[in-house]
Amino acid sequence: MPGTMNSVTADTLPWRCHGVTDGEAPTEALREVIGKSLRMLRFGLLDEVRVWRDGEPLDIGPPKQRAVLAVLLLEPRRPVSVARIVDAVWADAPPANGANAVQKQIVALRRVLGPAMVTLSDGGYRLDAPADSLDTEALTALIRAGVDARSSGNPEEAERLLSKALADSRSEPLAGLVGPVFESARRRLAEQRAYAAELWAATALDLRHHEDLTGRLPELIVQYPARERLRAIHMLALHRSGRQAEALTAYQDARRHLVDEYGVEPGEELQRVQWEILRAEPVVPVPAHNPPPMYDLRQPPYPPAAKRSGKQIVLGIVSVAVCLFSIGLLTWGVVAVLAAIRGSRALAGMAAVYAVLLVVWLVAVPVEDDEAFYALRSSVGFIAMLATIFGGAVHVGLITLSPRHQAADFRRRV
């Protein structure tokens, strides 16, 4: 990242903040001191909050001082109000006099960075850090350049730029800083890096860099486990390398994570990729100069089977009938059996819920008691009974007969 300070110079400073009144020319000595403080400053947020001058790290003080600097760097070249700084830095225990607490940290920062870097206006404190001196903005510029290179038909340059963007942002941003403002900033930076990872992976797949993909994507998937697109590209890279079994294992790992963590089946992209791998012939390596077409992530998934099988219909009818004719006493068992068949922890959890509802229903059966408690027990028992009988029957019917679950069963059979 370049370190030249081309937008703030000793000739364009707000001299009033250094004791120079209107109409008075600053001395050459003051110009030299301020100009020197501006040379080659670089700021980092992609790891801990850091500052370098001429490549040498600066000591920017204790945690509160670092936090104030981070708030200013999150909105560079824009005034940040004292109230916002206090909310970000002292979120849990704001000081009695927030303005004085902020001013104390600003004075200390000016000693480290130079008095020209942090100025005060009606809108608040402003840090005049040029875009090319801040690593988060340099990262954004790299990603944009990679997008432009890809759009202009230069995938090699796009892959190089995006790979550098990923390498430059390996660590946790704003490390050591806590609070809603910093957590929100971390999420934004993580989302930006995940987007760069997906774009890099798609570009590398287009260039047939399968070995690079199979080597680097597992680490990225660990960092962004919910990104189904990364998992889909990983499966394709494995498949095109002749590693079909590993590609299908990667799909099962993805499905297990999505079901266990979020209670959902894989999305359209992963389903389509698995289907294409299952129906494809064994992969024969082709020369590198003849790459396959770019993997289009916008394509629709494979169509599910047009008809439900007879076994599925019978299973669905029997399951619903058991729930209804047992007046809900066996609903939990039906769901437990379906959970075992599908290997689903989410369904196992629902079986436990139905078992609890059954217990509540049976315990709440009216007994001789005072009138108020009798009414309460009857209401609770009635609600639990409805949920167990009719809610369970509808739930089981959806599980066994809905097209989405039918498609999932079909994938497991093949």
Side-chain angles (χ1 to χ4, degrees):
M1 289 175 286
T4 305
M5 309 286 288
N6 51 20
S7 62
V8 180
T9 69
D11 293 319
T12 61
L13 295 173
W15 293 106
R16 186 181 299 176
C17 69
H18 305 297
V20 180
T21 61
D22 291 338
E24 179 183 355
T27 65
E28 289 301 321
L30 183 58
R31 285 179 178 273
E32 182 179 352
V33 169
I34 302 304
K36 182 178 180 180
S37 71
L38 290 172
R39 287 203 297 269
M40 299 297 288
L41 273 176
R42 291 193 298 112
F43 301 90
L45 295 178
L46 293 176
D47 192 342
E48 295 180 345
V49 182
R50 297 180 179 180
V51 183
W52 298 265
R53 176 177 284 121
D54 295 327
E56 294 295 325
L58 300 181
D59 181 2
I60 52 176
K64 294 298 184 188
Q65 192 168 313
R66 290 174 177 268
V68 171
L69 176 60
V71 176
L72 297 176
L73 287 172
L74 288 173
E75 301 186 50
R77 302 173 298 281
R78 292 191 297 271
V80 183
S81 68
V82 170
R84 178 162 175 77
I85 297 175
V86 171
D87 288 343
V89 178
W90 291 275
D92 297 331
N97 192 327
N100 284 349
V102 172
Q103 185 181 30
K104 177 182 176 182
Q105 304 300 331
I106 294 294
V107 169
L109 284 174
R110 282 173 171 164
R111 291 196 193 102
V112 177
L113 305 177
M117 292 303 297
V118 185
T119 58
L120 178 62
S121 66
D122 293 338
Y125 289 100
R126 165 176 165 158
L127 181 63
D128 290 307
D132 60 2
S133 69
L134 181 57
D135 62 357
T136 53
E137 295 187 320
L139 177 66
T140 300
L142 267 178
I143 296 173
R144 286 176 178 168
V147 171
D148 292 342
R150 180 176 168 82
S151 300
S152 62
N154 190 352
E156 292 84 2
E157 179 66 6
E159 186 193 27
R160 185 188 69 80
L161 292 169
L162 294 167
S163 180
K164 177 170 172 49
L166 293 176
D168 289 349
S169 55
R170 287 180 178 273
S171 303
E172 180 188 30
L174 300 164
L177 300 182
V178 297
V181 171
F182 301 121
E183 289 299 328
S184 176
R186 261 191 287 271
R187 285 194 296 270
R188 291 197 305 271
L189 290 168
E191 182 70 21
Q192 182 184 49
R193 187 174 189 270
Y195 168 73
E198 289 178 344
L199 197 61
W200 167 79
T203 306
L205 188 69
D206 191 35
L207 294 171
R208 294 188 57 80
H209 293 172
H210 300 143
E211 184 176 351
D212 197 15
L213 284 167
T214 55
R216 294 178 62 180
L217 276 178
E219 178 184 352
L220 292 170
I221 289 171
V222 169
Q223 295 173 10
Y224 310 109
R227 289 281 179 159
E228 294 188 40
R229 183 164 297 181
L230 288 177
R231 293 180 181 272
I233 295 175
H234 184 220
M235 290 170 59
L236 279 173
L238 288 169
H239 176 57
R240 293 179 180 177
S241 301
R243 299 157 65 179
Q244 185 182 32
E246 293 178 63
L248 295 174
T249 299
Y251 175 83
Q252 294 302 326
D253 292 341
R255 181 182 179 275
R256 188 178 304 110
H257 174 81
L258 293 171
V259 171
D260 291 349
E261 295 296 325
Y262 307 104
V264 298
E265 292 288 337
E268 295 180 353
E269 293 174 11
L270 278 174
Q271 292 181 20
R272 178 173 62 82
V273 170
Q274 190 217 20
W275 174 244
E276 294 294 336
I277 292 173
L278 285 170
R279 76 176 187 180
E281 296 296 327
V283 174
V284 178
V286 297
H289 65 270
N290 184 26
M294 175 59 197
Y295 169 43
D296 186 359
L297 296 166
R298 297 169 298 177
Q299 291 181 9
Y302 68 88
K307 297 181 180 180
R308 295 181 177 89
S309 68
K311 290 183 180 179
Q312 273 189 304
I313 295 174
V314 171
L315 176 62
I317 293 175
V318 170
S319 299
V320 172
V322 169
C323 294
L324 292 175
F325 289 107
S326 70
I327 58 172
L329 297 176
L330 299 180
T331 298
W332 68 273
V334 173
V335 178
V337 170
L338 292 175
I341 292 173
R342 298 175 182 278
S344 171
R345 293 185 183 179
L347 283 179
M350 287 305 303
V353 170
Y354 285 119
V356 171
L357 287 172
L358 176 62
V359 172
V360 171
W361 171 27
L362 296 177
V363 170
V365 170
V367 296
E368 294 297 329
D369 214 329
D370 63 87
E371 184 176 350
F373 193 56
Y374 172 83
L376 176 62
R377 288 169 66 108
S378 297
S379 299
V380 172
F382 184 69
I383 293 172
M385 178 188 71
L386 290 178
T388 306
I389 300 175
F390 300 106
V394 172
H395 187 194
V396 167
L398 290 174
I399 292 172
T400 54
L401 297 175
S402 70
R404 177 175 181 176
H405 290 286
Q406 177 198 4
D409 289 339
F410 177 74
R411 290 196 302 275
R412 278 187 289 274
R413 289 199 303 273
V414 296

